[in-house]
Amino acid sequence: MKNVYSNIYSFNKKTLKKSVNSLKLGNIVSLPTETVYGLGGNAYSKTAIKKIYKIKKRPKSNPLIIHYYSFKEASNDVLLNKNFFKLYKKFCPGPITFILKKKKSSKIVSSASATLNTIAIRFPKHRVVRTILKSLNFPIAMPSANLSSGLSPVNPLDVYDEFKKKVKIIIDGGQSKIGIESTVVDLSGKPKILRPGIISPNQINKTVKIILPKRNLKIKSPGMLKRHYSPGLPVVLNQKPSNDKHAYIIFGKISDNRVNYFNLSKNADLKEAAANLYKVMRKIKKKGYKKIFVSRIPNIGPGIAINDRLRRASK
Ligand code: TXA
Ligand code: MG
C-alpha cells in the first residue's frame, strides 16, 4: 500500500528487517494476524511490555497473549500437556489461545502475564506474523491493537485510527480474514473456554472434553472488563428494525433494505458475520449514528462468539 499514512508499510524484505530490528530494540510494532491486528513487543523485554500497557491504556491486571512460531519455542516458557498437543495438532497455527502453567525457568516478563502463574500462548497463522516470529529468538507479546475496552482493528487503517502516529510501524497484511479474536481455552486445569471465538466450544469438545457452559459464558479471564469491544456508542441487543434514526445491525435476508441497515451476512453465514462485525461497527460510528440496535443472532457456532462480543459491547 502506497499511501499518505507514513507509518503504514506493505510487507517485503525491507519492512521485515525494519520490524525485526524495531522489536529487537524493545519497540512495539503493529502486525496483522488472521483474527485481528495486534500490538507486538518482545515478551522477554520489560521496556517493551511497559510500552504496550501504556499505549493501550490497559489495566495492569489484564494479561497479554504470547505469540510463538511453534510449540518448540513455547516449551521454553510453559508446561505443555496432552490436551495441548491434541488441540495444537488439530488447530495450529490458527485462531486459538491456550492457558498453560508457566515454567519456573520462563523468561516471559512477569508483568506481561499480570504476575499470574499461567501464560496465554498462541500460534498465529498469518504469513506476515509467522515470518517475523521465525526471524526472532524471542516470542511476541501481542494484545489487539486498540485502546483498552474498544473494538479490535481488522485492517491497518483501523490501527491508525486508534493510535495515529504513536505506533511507528504498522504492517499492512490486508483485512483480517476471521475478524474476531482467538478462542481462549484454559488447559491449566480442567479444560474450559474463557473466550469464545471462531473455533466453537463444540469443535473443541470433539478433541478435548471441556466444561460446556449451559448458558452465556461468565467472565473468567483475569482483568477482563465487563464492558469490552465497545464501539463507543450505546448498543441495544435483540431488536427488530423499526425507525430510521438509529443504525441497525441485521443478519440474513430481509425484504426492505434501508441506508441505516447494516447486514452482517445476507446469506445468514455466521462466519461471514463474525468477519464483518467490527468492520460494520466502526463504519456505523464513522457515519455519526448515536445508537446501534442489533437484531437476534443465532447462538450457535461462530454465533456464540458474536453474541459474546455484542453482549460486552452493550454493557
Ligand atoms: O486473536 C487474538 O487473540 C488477538 C491477536 C492479536 O492475537 N489478541 C488478543 O489479545 O485478543 P488481547 O490482549 O486483546 O486479549 C487477551 C485475552 C484477554 O481476555 C486476557 O484476559 C486473556 O487473553 N488472558 C491472557 N493471559 C491469560 C491468563 N494467563 N489466564 C487467563 N486469561 C488470560
Ligand atoms: Mg483486546
Side-chain angles (χ1 to χ4, degrees):
M1 187 196 268
K2 188 95 192 137
N3 54 48
V4 294
Y5 305 96
S6 56
N7 54 343
I8 300 181
Y9 297 91
S10 57
F11 191 58
N12 53 42
K13 270 189 192 149
K14 214 168 135 191
T15 56
L16 164 65
K17 208 166 170 194
K18 196 175 166 79
S19 315
V20 165
N21 285 340
S22 186
L23 288 163
K24 281 182 181 164
L25 288 171
N27 292 322
I28 56 176
V29 172
S30 178
L31 302 175
T33 86
E34 70 280 15
T35 56
V36 300
Y37 273 65
L39 213 51
N42 179 351
Y44 294 159
S45 154
K46 257 188 198 162
T47 34
I49 300 304
K50 229 183 186 166
K51 282 179 192 163
I52 291 177
Y53 277 93
K54 189 167 173 215
I55 192 169
K56 267 188 70 91
K57 300 198 169 85
R58 180 171 177 119
K60 291 208 166 60
S61 56
N62 194 356
L64 309 176
I65 299 175
I66 313 301
H67 297 65
Y68 294 89
Y69 182 74
S70 81
F71 77 90
K72 281 184 203 127
E73 294 79 29
S75 70
N76 294 325
D77 295 316
V78 290
L79 292 163
L80 304 175
N81 57 34
K82 250 192 200 158
N83 285 333
F84 164 80
F85 281 110
K86 282 188 196 165
L87 292 170
Y88 182 87
K89 224 170 144 188
K90 183 111 191 239
F91 297 114
C92 293
I96 183 165
T97 294
F98 309 98
I99 309 296
L100 290 161
K101 287 200 176 118
K102 187 176 178 171
K103 267 193 174 171
K104 278 223 171 77
S105 57
S106 163
K107 285 196 280 181
I108 301 290
V109 173
S110 74
S111 55
S113 56
T115 67
L116 297 167
N117 56 9
T118 54
I119 294 181
I121 64 166
R122 167 160 134 74
F123 310 88
K125 191 172 187 171
H126 196 291
R127 177 181 72 96
V128 168
V129 65
R130 266 184 84 68
T131 309
I132 291 174
L133 282 168
K134 210 177 171 181
S135 317
L136 297 170
N137 57 0
F138 53 80
I140 301 179
M142 187 157 66
S144 51
N146 53 277
L147 288 164
S148 183
S149 87
L151 293 178
S152 294
V154 289
N155 65 53
L157 293 176
D158 293 350
V159 180
Y160 186 86
D161 268 356
E162 294 284 324
F163 301 112
K164 304 291 184 293
K165 301 247 157 111
K166 276 198 213 154
V167 176
K168 298 285 180 282
I169 301 175
I170 303 170
I171 300 291
D172 183 358
Q175 187 77 19
S176 292
K177 287 214 174 79
I178 291 171
I180 54 168
E181 307 79 1
S182 62
T183 304
V184 178
V185 196
D186 188 349
L187 299 177
S188 65
K190 250 194 174 159
K192 55 177 178 282
I193 296 200
L194 302 183
R195 178 174 74 182
I198 208 78
I199 300 176
S200 71
N202 278 324
Q203 264 176 294
I204 290 176
N205 198 46
K206 279 181 194 155
T207 310
V208 164
K209 287 281 166 253
I210 49 168
I211 307 169
L212 281 171
K214 283 212 181 70
R215 277 175 142 245
N216 300 341
L217 279 158
K218 292 243 164 63
I219 305 162
K220 299 232 185 60
S221 262
M224 221 182 168
L225 311 166
K226 266 208 184 111
R227 185 195 172 89
H228 212 131
Y229 314 113
S230 163
L233 316 174
V235 176
V236 191
L237 304 183
N238 302 324
Q239 300 293 312
K240 288 216 173 81
S242 61
N243 77 49
D244 290 336
K245 233 177 86 197
H246 301 304
Y248 281 90
I249 292 183
I250 53 175
F251 174 77
K253 268 207 187 83
I254 173 161
S255 49
D256 66 339
N257 234 331
R258 305 190 191 182
V259 283
N260 60 324
Y261 290 3
F262 297 85
N263 205 330
L264 291 180
S265 168
K266 285 180 184 153
N267 305 319
D269 175 339
L270 287 165
K271 230 173 167 177
E272 182 184 23
N276 282 329
L277 183 65
Y278 294 150
K279 197 164 78 182
V280 160
M281 287 213 268
R282 269 183 203 266
K283 192 162 156 193
I284 290 171
K285 187 167 188 198
K286 276 199 179 142
K287 288 196 184 251
Y289 285 100
K290 297 283 178 282
K291 213 168 184 175
I292 305 178
F293 289 97
V294 190
S295 59
R296 213 189 66 81
I297 313 281
N299 205 42
I300 45 165
I304 299 170
I306 297 173
N307 284 318
D308 167 75
R309 305 305 190 271
L310 285 170
R311 215 160 32 238
R312 290 183 206 276
S314 73
K315 286 272 155 57

